[in-house]
Amino acid sequence: MLRWARAWGLPLGGRGPSRPSFSRVPVATSSSGGGGGAEPRPLPLSYTLLDGEAGSPALVFLHGLCGCRNNFSSIAKAVAQQTGRKVLTVDARNHGDSPHSPDMSYEAMSQDLQDLLPQLGLVPCVLVGHSMGGKTAMLLALQRPDLVDRLIAVDISPARTTSISDFPSYLAAMRSLDIPDELPRSRARKLADEQLSPVIQDIVTRQFLLTNLVEVDGRFVWRVNLDALAQHMQEILAFPPRQESYPGPTLFLLGGNSQYVHPSHHPEIRRLFPRAQMQTVLNAGHWVHADRPQDFIAAIRGFLA
């Protein structure tokens, strides 16, 4: 039965690709919560770093909710090849191969990067964040502008997204999934797809979420920490109130078919990011980089020029 996920972490002594370590985290049963509050220390995030010139700021790609660094794999390789720059893709805490934690606040996610980026010698960098990753990137730029050369927020703004996000219901459906042990992978994914389809009717969204379903020792588990995401969902959909502004160049790159960034958000964008530009990628939804990858790369290169 699908009861537990395991945190794919890294040894305390190192970062980057390694053999996973495990800690058990309940996901499909009810939880009293793991606590919140301040994270005592940053987590050792999992990442992939593509080498490039040392003279130009590296690009750092941050994925969205329930995503992972692999979402940007082909984009990162193309950008590294076309620009000659170093390119880093990172798994956020509670996602991908990074460790699990009960704290899923933007402050904690920003602190993870404030620890990682200087250790890799990648500051100041160009932050490119999609959705949740975009909010993490915005907060990091506001907190530590010295670490951020330029900022690109992909189809997200520093405003609440509750009214148009279906992720709370998606997470509830994922938490209720019931997959018997020892099923062949193809049958398990088919059963999971069938169980999710009444709530998550869009097949592309289901396939995206099902990339988080992995087999470990004959059991199918969620790689994302669903308990932490569910507990912090309202916080993830919001944005921490800030008074300071980020003085660097900023691009808000929007999907032409998306409604995540509304004109009513523009005053707050201008207040926090006075040098903000806005650009729309036609025929793209919320996942701009997946819908129109070449246009996405062209927009990044144009902003760097």
Side-chain angles (χ1 to χ4, degrees):
M1 309 294 285
L2 186 71
R3 306 182 194 87
W4 301 88
R6 295 177 178 181
W8 298 71
L10 297 171
L12 293 179
R15 285 184 166 83
S18 72
R19 290 184 297 176
S21 59
F22 301 106
S23 61
R24 301 182 81 190
V25 182
V27 297
T29 56
S30 60
S31 170
S32 59
E39 182 69 21
R41 60 178 175 82
L43 296 183
L45 302 180
S46 184
Y47 64 84
T48 299
L49 177 60
L50 303 179
D51 201 12
E53 300 173 1
S56 300
L59 286 99
V60 177
F61 287 88
L62 308 178
H63 63 78
L65 185 62
C66 290
C68 68
R69 70 184 190 274
N70 292 340
N71 298 155
F72 284 111
S73 289
S74 59
I75 296 285
K77 291 175 183 176
V79 169
Q81 184 177 37
Q82 294 179 25
T83 67
R85 300 188 186 213
K86 294 181 179 180
V87 178
L88 181 75
T89 54
V90 184
D91 284 335
R93 57 171 55 210
N94 295 315
H95 290 73
D97 294 333
S98 285
H100 285 190
S101 165
D103 189 352
M104 195 57 196
S105 66
Y106 283 113
E107 290 83 356
M109 289 188 277
S110 173
Q111 189 61 51
D112 291 340
L113 293 167
Q114 291 180 44
D115 179 68
L116 175 64
L117 296 176
Q119 290 198 29
L120 295 178
L122 299 181
V123 292
C125 66
V126 178
L127 281 181
V128 185
H130 171 246
S131 201
M132 179 190 78
K135 290 190 173 185
T136 302
M138 285 187 277
L139 181 60
L140 176 55
L142 292 167
Q143 290 178 321
R144 292 290 307 275
D146 56 306
L147 302 184
V148 183
D149 179 70
R150 288 170 180 255
L151 170 66
I152 303 177
V154 184
D155 207 56
I156 202 67
S157 75
R160 292 193 63 87
T161 54
T162 309
S163 61
I164 43 127
S165 175
D166 296 317
F167 263 105
S169 62
Y170 293 173
L171 292 183
M174 293 167 72
R175 285 161 64 93
S176 67
L177 206 64
D178 187 6
I179 304 294
D181 295 346
E182 305 297 342
L183 274 186
R185 180 170 178 79
S186 59
R187 286 185 58 193
R189 285 185 63 88
K190 185 175 186 296
L191 181 58
D193 186 70
E194 291 172 352
Q195 292 184 21
L196 294 178
S197 61
V199 176
I200 309 171
Q201 297 178 359
D202 179 59
I203 186 172
V204 175
T205 302
R206 288 201 308 276
Q207 290 173 345
F208 166 71
L209 294 174
L210 284 171
T211 61
N212 290 289
L213 188 65
V214 296
E215 184 179 4
V216 179
D217 298 331
R219 304 177 60 221
F220 289 90
V221 299
W222 290 113
R223 197 164 54 160
V224 287
N225 185 350
L226 294 179
D227 278 349
L229 299 188
Q231 183 178 358
H232 289 271
M233 181 52 59
Q234 293 308 312
E235 193 174 356
I236 292 170
L237 294 173
F239 187 74
R242 309 299 301 184
Q243 294 303 317
E244 70 276 26
S245 63
Y246 169 65
T250 306
L251 174 65
F252 284 81
L253 189 59
L254 314 180
N257 298 335
S258 173
Q259 300 179 21
Y260 269 68
V261 180
H262 191 269
S264 63
H265 302 172
H266 293 180
E268 184 68 354
I269 289 174
R270 299 295 184 191
R271 183 180 75 84
L272 294 176
F273 305 98
R275 296 180 64 185
Q277 308 172 31
M278 294 195 187
Q279 184 175 342
T280 299
V281 178
L282 298 178
N283 301 314
H286 182 54
W287 284 276
V288 182
H289 49 289
D291 292 342
R292 305 292 295 183
Q294 297 306 317
D295 293 341
F296 179 77
I297 293 172
I300 292 175
R301 294 189 64 185
F303 183 60
L304 295 177

